[in-house]
Structure formats: C-alpha cells, structure tokens
Amino acid sequence: MDGLDARVPVISPRRPFRDWVSTFGALSWSGFRRYATYRQATIAGSFTNTVFGFLRCYVLLAVAAGAAGGRPGGYGAEQLASFVWVGQGLLTVVSLWGWTELADRIRSGDVAADLLRPVPPIVGYLAPDLGRAGHAMIFRFLPPLAVGALFFDLYAPSRWFTVPLFALSIVLAVVASLGLRFLVNATAYWLHDARGPIALWTLSAGVLAGLYFPLRFLPDWLAVLLWVATPFPGLLQTPLDVLVERDPAPVQLGLVALQAVWATALITAAVFVQRRAERRLVAQGG
Amino acid sequence: MSVIAMRGLRKDFTVRVGRGRLRREKRTVTAVDGIDLGIERGEMVGYIGPNGAGKSTTLKMLTGVLTPSAGEVSVCGLSPVPQRTRLALTIGVVFGQRSQLWWDLPLRDSFALLRHVYRVPAGAHAARLRRCRALLELDEFLDTPVRQLSLGQRMRGELTAALLHGPSVLFLDEPTIGLDVVSKQAVRSFLAELGGSGDVTMVLTTHDLADIERLCRRLVVIDHGRVVHDGTIEALHARYGSRRRLVVDLDAPLAPDFAVPGAELVALDAGGHRASFDLLSSVAGAVVAELTSLAAVRDLALVEPDIEDVVARLYRS
C-alpha cells in the first residue's frame, strides 16, 4: 500500500502563512459550495425577502409621510427605502436566524469530528461562514436590492469612502454574528439542547439589530445604550446606517470601530467558551 | 517505544440522578477503570467488549476528544488532549456512527477540502486518492453529495477521508456497523491490505467478531472498563477452554456410551448415525485414527471453535 501509509510531512514549514491562507480559503470556498447546492431554497428565500421588503418599505414610508418634518429617526424617504431593501438582503448575509449547525453537532456527537481536525474549531466554523456570506451576498443580497431599486428611489451615497466602509462593516457584522451564533449554539455543550437559547436569540436579534424598525426611532439614550452595551446593532443597523450616511463621517467611522471591538470580543469569547467546553466535553453516544 | 501507550488510564463521568422532585444526587460512573496497554508500530489490535464496556471512551481519550480522569496516555509520542491539533495530523479516525465528511458536498469536494485542511502536498494526496478509488471502488459515486450516499458508500468515503493525509495510526470505531455482507467484505479486505504493509498501526473496535478474526492478530477484551484479555484469539480459546469439535457420519449407529481416548462424545444425532466429539487436545489425528479403527466412518468434519461463543461466555462471566 505504498502511497497510503508513508508518513508525509506537512507542507514546508517555511510557508506557514501561505498554508494558513490556503486552508482558510479552501474552508471558505466549501461554505460557498455548500450553500450553492440548495438552489431552490435560495430562490424561495430571495422571493420571500423581496415580498417582505415591499411590506416593510411601505410601512416605513408611511411612517415618514406622517412624521413631523418627514424625517423619522433622522432618515429621509430615500434613506428609509435603502434601509429596508439593503436590510432585506443583508438579513441572510449576516445570518440573523436559523443557524443551529453547531448545536446539532453537539447534540448528535458529530462535534467530535471537528475536534479531530488539525484546525481550531472556531476557524473551522468562521471560514465556511464567510464563504456562506459570500454566497449570500451574490444570491440573497443582490436580487431583493435590484427589485427594490426598480420600484423605489434608493439613496445614493455621496462620500467616496462609504461603499468600502460598508463592505468592511458587512464583514465585521458577519464575524460578530458568527461569534454570537457560536456562543448561543455552544450552550448545547452544557444544556445538551440549545433550542431555548436559540429561540431567545432569534427573538432578540430581530428587534435589537434593527430589523423590525430602525433603532434610531428609539430615544437617544436607549439607542446609545444598545449600541455600546450589546453587539446587536452591529449586526444590521450599523452597516445600514453606514451605507445611507445617517451620521456625519466621524460618527460613521466610529460606529464601524465599535463593530470591530464587538466582533473581536465575541470571537475571543467564543474561543474561550470552546476551550472550556472541550475540557468538560462528553461526546455523546457511541 | 510503543506507538500507543496507556498507563493506569481512567475515565469517570459524573451523572446526576433525580431523587424525588427536587433533589438530585451526583453519582460517579467509571467508564474506563485503569487500563495499561502498549501497542507497537504496525500492530492491528481488535478492541472489543460489550456495550458500555468503555471501548469508545478509550478511543476518545486516545484521539484527544476526551480528557482522561487519571493515568497517562501517549499516541505517537504526543499527549492527545493538549497536543490534539498536532496529533490530528498523524492519526486517522473513522467513527462508524459519525461522519467526518461534509454532508452537502460531493465526496470529491470533501476529499479536496481535506487536502487543504491537513495541508497535504498535492502529489501525495492524488496518489493516495487514486489508490483508495481503485481499492474501494469509489468512482461511481465520487460526484454524489454525501447526504445521498448509501451507508456502505459513505463508509468507503469515510475510510478514504481518514487516510488521505497518510496517518501512521488508524482508529476505527465500529467501521462495519450496519453494512451489508458485500460492503463488510470490501472494508475488511481494504483494511487487511492496508495493515499488511506493517506501517500503519490500527486499533479497531467492533461487535462483529468476524472483523477481528479476519484482521487482528491481537485481541484486547475489555469489560467494565478493565482489560480482561490481551493476546491472540488462540490464547483466548485456550484460556476459556474452547474446544474444536469433530463431527462424524457413521454407517452404523453408535452406542450412547461409546468412548474414544482424547475426545468426549457430546451429541448423537440422526438415530446415532452422526456423532459429535469435543477434542480434549488440539491435535485431531490420533482421535481420528482411533475412531476409524473402532467404527465405520463415512465422513468427518472438524469444526473450529466459534469466537462468538467464547466472547459471549467471557462477557457473561
């Protein structure tokens, strides 16, 4: 059985960074590929997001028409329309709902296979999730946005750095979201069944991330409190505010910086929780 | 130095048992109770025991998935839990009841991804994959998503996935569970060929003792977390008094009190025309000669002791 049993050293240790990038890239591509296999689900999802986009858009435009000065929460009508349609697209990119993969793997014991790979489990989830987000950017973000642009006047950013900053903000939102989802799912290590925490997450993410209504509709003190004390606005509200230039440039930059702080904190927490979990892990069954 | 060494290996689990409505009591369950074992390079070891004996728990400690409560363990000179990531590069693991493949991806993509995960040079990866494709006949379902594979196909995929990085130790936890006869044979002959080279050390847990008979020279039986037998299958038979059986068909019926030196008459069937003897020693020649001189033997058969019977007795004792 030559070729099967000979111990082969890993790729030259002189190129650790390149190896690492290629592993990360391959894992990300796998995330993209995995979601690309579910074409009908992608079409159905885009369609649903578009339908709800119309509903939300009309509601918010009605609010704007009825508000004093026509600028509820400081947004103009075009800004609100963009907020809705871009939000409908981003919703899937940041995967606000419905990710139970880790919890399912913990419950079934398949999580043992994650530990048997020479890649830290967090990386093993983060890299494919970025690939998933990439797939969602193309197939879930663009279609509703295109439909929205056909039927409504959307806001065109005026500052040159807004679009790149928006892109960075999306990446940070995806990372923070993965961190949060990982933490919520990881409760299954202790509870064996994470359905409770996941239900709570689904409920709070929708409200506190700014999906149901822009958080700027809230009193200032409450909005600031949410931004600083919770990671939720960074998942959806921040990228949208960045894109529609809701705030002056320094605040725009500051919001993204705050997102970066939260993303780092959440991933650090996920790493810590994973380590704790591994120490007491009981891989189920078998 | 042993490739795998365990000294005083132990694993306790704490379970909470409800007592009444509110009170809960902690109880400690010992899954592995002080195992000492050394496995040398190239050995193929069958690791068997009844359900709950501690087989999988041991395997999880050897692969770094589970932290031992006490004792020492080393695999390829590494300490499994603290050095799990490094260890993962030198071992291959197949859990019959779990999958390490990506559910949504075709096998081909899973294999390509594993090359990057394990950072295997492209040439070595391609060579191993070619070998596995030929031996395990993977080609017909290489482009099928894993979720659509039959159990036998998936298992062949799992074996390939575990070998693509060229591990020097292979852990197999019930690799033939749930497989049909043909798939079982395919998996067994593949493992036999792999083990034949003497470079890969294999530890195999199974409930199917035919796997062991076909593959393993050495058999370790554990029960209640302790090693109750460590040696060859023959040694197990010798220790538990398994005897070979001689079945003879006769022209004339045999008397129930018929006796022949070196054997014991255990059954008379077909109206005395078929007699079964347990051989008291391992050599049948003398008994056969004696028998043919005493009675008109038409046909005879020598039946090897059944390993299932021995193990069943061992589990019950």
Side-chain angles (χ1 to χ4, degrees):
Chain A
M1 290 293 295
D2 30 296
L4 265 182
D5 40 45
R7 283 185 66 184
V8 166
V10 289
I11 291 175
S12 155
R14 280 171 301 162
R15 303 182 305 176
F17 181 71
R18 210 177 125 186
D19 291 347
W20 200 85
V21 169
S22 98
T23 302
F24 198 91
L27 281 168
S28 296
W29 177 239
S30 80
F32 189 100
R33 287 274 292 122
R34 285 179 57 190
Y35 280 83
T37 56
Y38 298 105
R39 290 193 200 120
Q40 285 169 339
T42 303
I43 294 168
S46 276
F47 177 76
T48 312
N49 285 3
T50 307
V51 170
F52 276 90
F54 278 102
L55 292 178
R56 288 186 54 214
C57 199
Y58 285 124
V59 168
L60 280 189
L61 290 179
V63 170
R71 293 185 69 83
Y75 300 98
E78 285 182 358
Q79 284 173 311
L80 278 178
S82 287
F83 189 97
V84 169
W85 287 104
V86 176
Q88 285 303 102
L90 270 190
L91 170 60
T92 322
V93 176
V94 299
S95 188
L96 217 47
W97 296 319
W99 189 80
T100 58
E101 193 178 323
L102 175 64
D104 294 341
R105 289 178 72 80
I106 294 168
R107 196 164 55 160
S108 69
D110 282 347
V111 74
D114 299 341
L115 301 178
L116 293 170
R117 298 218 166 101
V119 172
I122 300 286
V123 176
Y125 282 96
L126 179 62
D129 200 61
L130 288 171
R132 178 203 58 74
H135 175 264
M137 271 311 278
I138 300 170
F139 297 103
R140 300 294 299 272
F141 176 83
L142 293 178
L145 188 58
V147 173
L150 273 179
F151 288 88
F152 298 88
D153 290 329
L154 299 184
Y155 179 83
S158 60
R159 297 170 200 150
W160 66 267
F161 56 83
T162 291
V163 172
L165 195 64
F166 173 61
L168 173 66
S169 178
I170 292 176
V171 174
L172 291 172
V174 173
V175 173
S177 153
L178 189 271
L180 262 172
R181 283 178 280 137
F182 193 98
L183 288 169
V184 171
N185 275 251
T187 54
Y189 279 121
W190 287 269
L191 304 175
H192 301 294
D193 184 350
R195 271 178 292 187
I198 287 171
L200 190 66
W201 146 257
T202 308
L203 193 71
S204 41
V207 180
L208 302 179
L211 176 70
Y212 299 152
F213 58 87
L215 296 179
R216 300 301 180 97
F217 286 10
L218 298 170
D220 281 350
W221 66 268
L222 186 54
V224 171
L225 186 71
L226 280 180
W227 244 281
V228 178
T230 80
F232 293 104
L235 302 182
L236 198 65
Q237 178 83 34
T238 299
L240 296 176
D241 277 352
V242 166
L243 184 72
V244 304
E245 296 172 339
R246 160 67 175 70
D247 306 288
V251 180
Q252 203 182 11
L253 287 167
L255 285 177
V256 177
L258 184 60
Q259 248 190 319
V261 170
W262 267 113
T264 312
L266 286 165
I267 293 295
T268 310
V271 170
F272 175 76
V273 165
Q274 176 68 22
R275 286 213 187 119
R276 287 297 298 264
E278 282 171 21
R279 224 172 292 158
R280 68 168 303 283
L281 175 68
V282 182
Q284 306 289 317
Chain B
M1 199 187 82
S2 301
V3 172
I4 299 171
M6 293 171 251
R7 198 174 312 138
L9 189 64
R10 195 183 162 85
K11 182 71 196 177
D12 300 316
F13 291 111
T14 307
V15 288
R16 288 191 168 81
V17 192
R19 292 253 180 274
R21 268 195 199 157
L22 294 172
R23 278 182 50 224
R24 290 196 136 200
E25 217 166 69
K26 271 192 183 179
R27 223 180 55 200
T28 302
V29 176
T30 303
V32 171
D33 191 5
I35 286 188
D36 299 290
L37 215 57
I39 296 173
E40 305 304 321
R41 182 181 153 87
E43 269 196 286
M44 291 179 84
V45 178
Y47 197 65
I48 67 167
N51 287 326
K55 299 185 298 293
S56 293
T57 306
T58 314
L59 235 52
K60 282 172 192 159
M61 289 193 280
L62 289 175
T63 50
V65 174
L66 210 56
T67 315
S69 306
E72 289 167 29
V73 55
S74 93
V75 178
C76 302
L78 299 170
S79 183
V81 172
Q83 296 176 292
R84 197 184 61 224
T85 315
R86 270 185 69 195
L87 182 68
L89 292 168
T90 61
I91 63 170
V93 186
V94 175
F95 287 122
Q97 308 195 58
R98 312 200 187 299
S99 182
Q100 57 178 327
L101 301 166
W102 284 265
W103 199 242
D104 319 276
L105 296 182
L107 267 185
R108 190 190 293 279
D109 291 29
S110 279
F111 295 154
L113 184 52
L114 285 169
R115 176 171 96 72
H116 290 284
V117 168
Y118 285 91
R119 296 171 192 173
V120 185
H125 182 269
R128 292 189 190 118
L129 184 55
R130 224 177 6 249
R131 201 89 181 98
C132 286
R133 276 166 64 173
L135 284 170
L136 290 166
E137 294 167 17
L138 302 175
D139 283 3
E140 58 181 298
F141 50 89
L142 210 49
D143 291 307
T144 312
V146 171
R147 61 170 190 273
Q148 290 170 13
L149 296 180
S150 74
L151 186 59
Q153 291 172 333
R154 207 201 79 205
M155 213 54 211
R156 286 185 266 165
E158 299 278 356
L159 274 171
T160 307
L163 289 167
L164 286 175
H165 56 286
S168 53
V169 179
L170 191 57
F171 293 102
L172 302 149
D173 194 2
E174 303 189 33
T176 56
I177 194 166
L179 298 188
D180 65 38
V181 183
V182 179
S183 300
K184 267 186 192 174
Q185 278 172 354
V187 168
R188 280 180 200 144
S189 47
F190 176 75
L191 293 175
E193 188 160 352
L194 186 65
S197 67
D199 286 330
V200 183
T201 310
M202 264 190 247
V203 179
L204 170 81
T205 81
T206 184
H207 287 296
D208 190 336
L209 296 164
D211 290 345
I212 306 281
E213 286 187 301
R214 174 91 166 76
L215 295 170
C216 303
R217 285 284 306 141
R218 182 174 170 196
L219 179 66
V220 174
V221 186
I222 66 162
D223 196 9
H224 294 104
R226 290 168 186 268
V227 175
V228 292
H229 174 80
D230 180 4
T232 59
I233 293 175
E234 294 77 37
L236 185 72
H237 284 308
R239 187 168 152 198
Y240 285 89
S242 307
R243 294 165 178 174
R244 295 160 89 198
R245 180 163 291 187
L246 183 66
V247 182
V248 285
D249 285 339
L250 303 145
D251 283 337
L254 214 57
D257 58 349
F258 179 85
V260 61
E264 189 182 317
L265 180 65
V266 287
L268 265 181
D269 304 303
H273 286 275
R274 168 169 287 186
S276 303
F277 298 90
D278 272 355
L279 296 178
L280 301 181
S281 81
S282 59
V283 189
V287 175
V288 173
E290 186 72 23
L291 206 58
T292 43
S293 72
L294 290 174
V297 175
R298 189 191 300 156
D299 195 7
L300 56 82
L302 203 51
V303 183
E304 292 296 322
D306 189 1
I307 183 176
E308 307 254 352
D309 291 340
V310 189
V311 171
R313 261 187 286 156
L314 189 58
Y315 288 178
R316 277 195 297 266
S317 63

